[in-house]
Amino acid sequence: MKLAGERWRTLVSTVRLGRDEYRVVQPARPVAHASMHLASCGVSVTVNKASARELAMAWAFAMRSPRTLVYLPLRQSGCECRMYADDGDISVDLVLLHHSLGFAASRWKEVRARLRGGRPHTVVCQGLPRGVLRRGEVLRRDFKDDLRYHFAADTAFFTGSRKAFAATGEELLDMVEDWPRLMHERQREGFCAEIVAKGMGSREQLHVQYCLEHRVSTRR
């Protein structure tokens, strides 16, 4: 299944804090099967085929939307699939944003408290690129092209440039377009994407894995 052309139903809100105004985009409905939590590996998300596609669409949208906070309220998903989590792990939400916004994660609690519904909007996904980095190339070790992690108000924030989201999103693209077929062929194997982000200390990755309990077929 190709990610490009998929439709993502969202709600668009505008929140004002003093002189500042923020545009927030979130799914129109709770993500049905996505459990996100702080874990020993960093931030871990367990998905099925539909929620993997939604995460990839959110990543692609954040890459192309430098003036928007992309919010996935995964604590509200109602999903009880936590097969990789420990009892002490903390359930968290996800926010993706471009570094040029200069948004302080400490303001998120106020922004979130002011979200009221929102205007329905359908995003037609333009996909995620492949081959962003040439063989042996790495992202520049500065803030511009480095995916960064922050945590505040039960929310994991991933911030970066368009190139940072493009380069790290390739694993999510594989997860959506290639892995369902591979999972069908290799039913005993686990499949996961590991996205490295600076600022996590010893926990330097976003770990996204398909739920083994809810395996998918190649059918949509």
Side-chain angles (χ1 to χ4, degrees):
M1 181 202 74
K2 293 296 183 182
L3 184 64
E6 286 292 300
R7 294 179 177 271
W8 186 33
R9 300 186 185 281
T10 65
L11 296 174
V12 181
S13 303
T14 301
V15 174
R16 181 176 291 278
L17 293 182
R19 295 181 178 180
D20 298 321
E21 188 173 85
Y22 301 105
R23 180 175 183 254
V24 182
V25 171
Q26 65 186 93
R29 296 180 180 179
V31 183
H33 191 296
S35 174
M36 185 172 184
H37 50 271
L38 297 181
S40 58
C41 65
V43 181
S44 182
V45 191
T46 305
V47 296
N48 67 355
K49 186 177 179 180
S51 55
R53 182 171 66 246
E54 190 147 12
L55 175 59
M57 287 193 291
W59 204 271
F61 184 71
M63 180 186 76
R64 295 181 172 90
S65 305
R67 297 179 178 85
T68 302
L69 298 167
V70 182
Y71 171 41
L72 296 184
L74 300 181
R75 290 184 300 156
Q76 304 172 25
S77 70
C79 174
E80 297 181 357
C81 178
R82 293 172 57 85
M83 60 182 297
Y84 296 98
D86 297 326
D87 291 338
D89 288 346
I90 302 172
S91 295
V92 297
D93 294 331
L94 175 65
V95 170
L96 309 170
L97 66 151
H98 197 274
H99 69 83
S100 63
L101 269 177
F103 180 79
S106 59
R107 306 198 78 185
W108 173 243
K109 189 174 183 179
E110 292 181 84
V111 172
R112 184 176 60 196
R114 287 167 169 75
L115 292 175
R116 298 287 186 273
R119 175 176 56 85
H121 177 67
T122 299
V123 175
V124 179
C125 184
Q126 297 180 49
L128 287 162
R130 295 188 186 275
V132 175
L133 300 180
R134 296 184 297 273
R135 181 174 298 180
E137 182 185 5
V138 297
L139 291 175
R140 288 167 47 194
R141 296 293 107 187
D142 59 21
F143 187 80
K144 179 180 179 182
D145 282 336
D146 212 6
L147 191 69
R148 297 271 173 161
Y149 165 82
H150 302 278
F151 184 81
D154 296 319
T155 304
F157 293 81
F158 289 91
T159 305
S161 65
R162 180 184 177 111
K163 187 172 183 179
F165 278 110
T168 54
E170 190 165 346
E171 287 203 51
L172 298 178
L173 181 64
D174 290 340
M175 189 172 230
V176 171
E177 295 190 347
D178 300 332
W179 292 4
R181 175 183 54 81
L182 294 175
M183 285 191 297
H184 181 70
E185 296 171 353
R186 308 172 191 173
Q187 297 187 16
R188 295 184 179 273
E189 291 187 24
F191 289 82
C192 65
E194 296 178 346
I195 297 173
V196 175
K198 294 298 179 182
M200 303 181 80
S202 59
R203 301 174 168 187
E204 290 196 345
Q205 62 180 238
L206 171 62
H207 187 82
V208 188
Q209 63 272 318
Y210 267 111
C211 173
L212 294 177
E213 183 180 351
H214 301 93
R215 297 303 294 246
V216 296
S217 71
T218 55
R219 297 191 299 273
R220 185 171 176 177

